Amino acid sequence: MPGATNGVFEMPKTTYINAQEGIKSWLLTGDHKRIAILYLISISIFFALGGIFAALIRIELLTPGPDLEAEMYNRAFTAHGIVMVFMFLIPAIPAVLGNFLLPIMIGARDLAFPKVNLLSWYLYMIGGLLTLSAMLMGGVDTGWTFYTPYSTSYSQSYVFLTGLGIFIMGFSSITTGLNFVITTHKMRAPGMTWSRLPLFVWSQYATSLVMLLGTPVIAITVVLLAAERVFGVGVFNPNLGGDPVLFQHLFWFYSHPAVYIMVLPAMGVISELIAAFSRRRVFGYSFVAFSSLAIAIFGFLVWGHHLFVSGQSAYAGIIFSLLSFIVAIPSAVKVFNWTTTLYKGSISYETPMLYALAFIGLFAIGGLTGLFCAALGLDVHITDTYFIIAHFHYVMVGATVIAYLGGIHYWWPKMTGRTYPEFWGKLSAMLIYVGFNLTFFPQFILGYLGMPRRYHVYPPEYQVLNVLSTAGASVLAIGFMMPVFYLLWSLKFGPVAGPNPWGAKGLEWETASPPPTLNFDATPIVTEEAYAYDAEAEESAYQAALQQAKHAK
């Protein structure tokens, strides 16, 4: 057994972590794995900041009356939205897990353009710090959607500086997507055909296409917004000859596909987890792979369902409603195929699998409530209410964050070479699941009853549901904080993982943990399909590995 002495694994002597020493070697690295770690650290810090702003919102909503001034509340929820969407949700899985894993999964030594990959991290950091500096100087009060003409003509907050930060972060997404597409086309190992690609790679590929085609649109929109705000060029303000609905079209043409930039990589993670912990090839591999592309394509055709109450043509509304229902089909294909994969699978319930199961449940609720938003008549009733907040968070947090945490727990042994305490991992996953539902499910009811979002005061009859929501947020916060402690603890005290602690399939499990700088000692040759599990043999080997791990402890 490679790397094992008397059944106990030893850490490899030279890995990507210790191949070079010093901060300079990290800040100037071209190694995709090190860049992924840089992203992991910076994204985690921004996530914590977004969580602090969320706490301010939930504390304010504990009571019906005002505790914060309306202006301060506007800036708090705007900061929460901007940090979470642009600085965490969009880059999290592609920049951290995609950067670390995509080259290894296809048998490549690195991404196609290592220096461009490092540039993307610097662009992300420059944009993030500019946005953060705007918040420190007073923040923005427009909401994360920057609707015009308020953002261009009337807001007295730091719209320009925040927009500049988002503009720069957009180029980080574009360069990352470009790198992933070219790497997938040109650097696959011998035998790694398109039909053998892991579904995580398919999802990253589809996401990269959305990044390349959609991000330039939001960049142009931000430039036009700046032109009107700074130079008074009439683009969106009717008083200057502009059209505010044009801004909504441009904004949502990017921002709805951006939902799929967040969700598609999450779906890729879940496909890997379901296969690994049910010891089965994903049912309907081709359908799952092509459904990713279908979601990416249809995602560009449904932006108009955000404009049902904007005054757009009723006929356009009918078309966008129909297309929004259609986009649910490829998403349903994935959920159906994951659950079918579980059927008769040899399922084990380690921490990553708990996250995968939580994802399916939460994403199903988020997806089904999305159909409510696609229905023209019903959407008029729930637009700008807490129903939208709940739906959005079930899809974004219930999908992206849960899958991100599941992926971090699954590939943590590969990234660090050490395992973490399973008990704390499972406890954290269950707290997050319970806390999440307690936080956001009451908001469906609040929204249906008519409580508008972005208000810091509300009628007293809504307080019970708001108290439930804030209590859930407290549980959720505890669940989110726990991995910080036990994962950091595992870096020094965790048992050595060995190359394949889960007994999983895939090239990333055929190299050392942590991998060497060039990922493999020799170029791998792929001879079998993805997820080629032999259920009975795999189960026996997996149980043997578990027993061995227990004895090692």
Side-chain angles (χ1 to χ4, degrees):
M1 186 176 294
T5 302
N6 299 325
V8 179
F9 289 104
E10 297 176 349
M11 288 288 279
K13 290 182 179 176
T14 304
T15 70
Y16 79 95
I17 297 174
N18 61 13
Q20 292 179 299
E21 296 182 349
I23 293 177
K24 184 179 176 182
S25 72
W26 281 85
L27 296 180
L28 299 178
T29 184
D31 186 338
H32 65 100
K33 300 178 290 299
R34 284 190 163 204
I35 294 170
I37 298 300
L38 293 175
Y39 268 116
L40 174 63
I41 295 168
S42 46
I43 280 173
S44 299
I45 293 171
F46 286 136
F47 179 71
L49 286 174
I52 291 170
F53 290 123
L56 280 176
I57 297 169
R58 289 313 324 165
I59 291 170
E60 163 60 36
L61 294 176
L62 256 180
T63 56
D67 297 309
L68 293 175
E69 293 181 2
E71 180 70 15
M72 179 64 73
Y73 183 74
N74 286 350
R75 292 173 191 242
F77 73 66
T78 301
H80 169 67
I82 289 172
V83 170
M84 287 302 196
V85 171
F86 295 106
M87 297 156 78
F88 175 73
L89 289 171
I90 289 177
I93 296 180
V96 178
L97 298 177
N99 250 321
F100 195 97
L101 293 161
L102 188 139
I104 305 177
M105 283 182 159
I106 65 172
R109 294 186 168 189
D110 206 322
L111 286 170
F113 304 112
K115 291 181 180 177
V116 172
N117 193 24
L118 181 63
L119 173 66
S120 73
W121 180 72
Y122 276 104
L123 289 173
Y124 169 75
M125 289 304 299
I126 293 169
L129 292 175
L130 280 176
T131 306
L132 191 59
S133 65
M135 292 173 189
L136 292 175
M137 286 189 284
V140 191
D141 61 354
T142 61
W144 74 277
T145 50
F146 294 96
Y147 272 8
T148 56
Y150 181 70
S151 61
T152 55
S153 303
Y154 304 108
S155 173
Q156 299 299 312
S157 56
Y158 291 86
V159 175
F160 178 78
L161 190 56
T162 306
L164 179 62
I166 293 171
F167 181 79
I168 293 173
M169 281 189 281
F171 283 95
S172 173
S173 290
I174 292 172
T175 51
T176 298
L178 183 68
N179 231 336
F180 284 3
V181 168
I182 294 175
T183 303
T184 306
H185 273 274
K186 294 294 184 181
M187 298 180 68
R188 301 192 308 276
M192 179 60 82
T193 61
W194 285 91
S195 61
R196 288 175 174 170
L197 282 178
L199 290 167
F200 179 77
V201 176
W202 271 106
S203 72
Q204 292 293 332
Y205 182 81
T207 304
S208 299
L209 295 179
V210 181
M211 286 177 174
L212 288 173
L213 297 174
T215 309
V217 176
I218 192 67
I220 292 168
T221 309
V222 171
V223 170
L224 293 175
L225 188 151
E228 182 166 293
R229 183 175 177 85
V230 178
F231 302 110
V233 178
V235 182
F236 304 120
N237 188 345
N239 291 333
L240 300 174
D243 181 358
V245 179
L246 173 63
F247 176 85
Q248 294 190 38
H249 278 291
L250 291 172
F251 179 83
W252 288 113
F253 183 81
Y254 164 77
S255 294
H256 194 84
V259 171
Y260 302 113
I261 292 176
M262 306 173 209
V263 170
L264 276 171
M267 291 172 164
V269 170
I270 298 306
S271 294
E272 299 297 323
L273 301 187
I274 292 291
F277 294 99
S278 63
R279 329 304 294 174
R280 292 192 69 196
R281 176 177 164 83
V282 173
F283 179 80
Y285 167 92
S286 300
F287 284 94
V288 177
F290 284 103
S291 67
S292 294
L293 295 178
I295 291 171
I297 294 168
F298 276 105
F300 279 108
L301 305 176
V302 298
W303 80 91
H305 76 228
H306 294 274
L307 282 74
F308 284 163
V309 296
S310 70
Q312 74 174 359
S313 156
Y315 297 108
I318 292 171
I319 297 296
F320 281 120
S321 174
L322 179 63
L323 290 170
S324 300
F325 279 111
I326 291 175
V327 80
I329 296 173
S331 300
V333 166
K334 287 181 180 291
V335 174
F336 173 79
N337 285 23
W338 290 329
T339 50
T340 309
T341 304
L342 293 173
Y343 179 64
K344 290 189 176 180
S346 179
I347 300 172
S348 56
Y349 296 98
E350 279 81 5
T351 302
M353 187 59 164
L354 296 186
Y355 280 109
L357 296 175
F359 173 96
I360 293 175
L362 299 179
F363 180 72
I365 296 174
L368 289 172
T369 52
L371 299 180
F372 291 33
C373 305
L376 268 170
L378 187 54
D379 187 73
V380 172
H381 174 66
I382 59 179
T383 289
D384 279 339
T385 70
Y386 263 84
F387 191 96
I388 301 298
I389 298 290
H391 159 69
F392 181 86
H393 280 81
Y394 263 85
V395 175
M396 294 297 94
V397 183
T400 304
V401 178
I402 294 286
Y404 175 69
L405 288 172
I408 289 289
H409 284 80
Y410 180 53
W411 284 296
W412 185 259
K414 180 57 58 182
M415 298 167 81
T416 66
R418 294 184 181 274
T419 59
Y420 49 85
E422 267 292 311
F423 170 79
W424 292 106
K426 291 177 179 177
L427 180 62
S428 168
M430 287 188 282
L431 283 177
I432 289 172
Y433 183 75
V434 172
F436 179 86
N437 281 291
L438 192 56
T439 303
F440 293 106
F441 199 85
Q443 295 179 13
F444 279 125
I445 304 170
L446 282 168
Y448 183 77
L449 293 175
M451 180 170 169
R453 63 178 178 174
R454 299 179 174 175
Y455 279 60
H456 71 311
V457 294
Y458 55 84
E461 56 264 35
Y462 294 152
Q463 187 175 14
V464 172
L465 291 169
N466 273 297
V467 169
L468 272 177
S469 197
T470 301
S474 305
V475 177
L476 191 59
I478 294 170
F480 280 146
M481 285 191 287
M482 287 173 62
V484 175
F485 295 102
Y486 64 74
L487 290 179
L488 289 177
W489 174 89
S490 75
L491 291 176
K492 185 172 179 63
F493 302 105
V496 177
N500 191 359
W502 308 116
K505 292 287 186 180
L507 289 181
E508 77 269 31
W509 302 111
E510 294 181 12
T511 188
S513 303
T517 299
L518 298 180
N519 296 337
F520 301 96
D521 295 330
T523 302
I525 298 175
V526 181
T527 57
E528 62 183 14
E529 62 184 7
Y531 318 111
Y533 288 99
D534 178 341
E536 293 183 4
E538 292 292 339
E539 174 64 15
S540 300
Y542 181 63
Q543 293 300 333
L546 278 182
Q547 292 299 323
Q548 192 175 52
K550 289 179 181 177
H551 290 309
K553 292 177 183 177

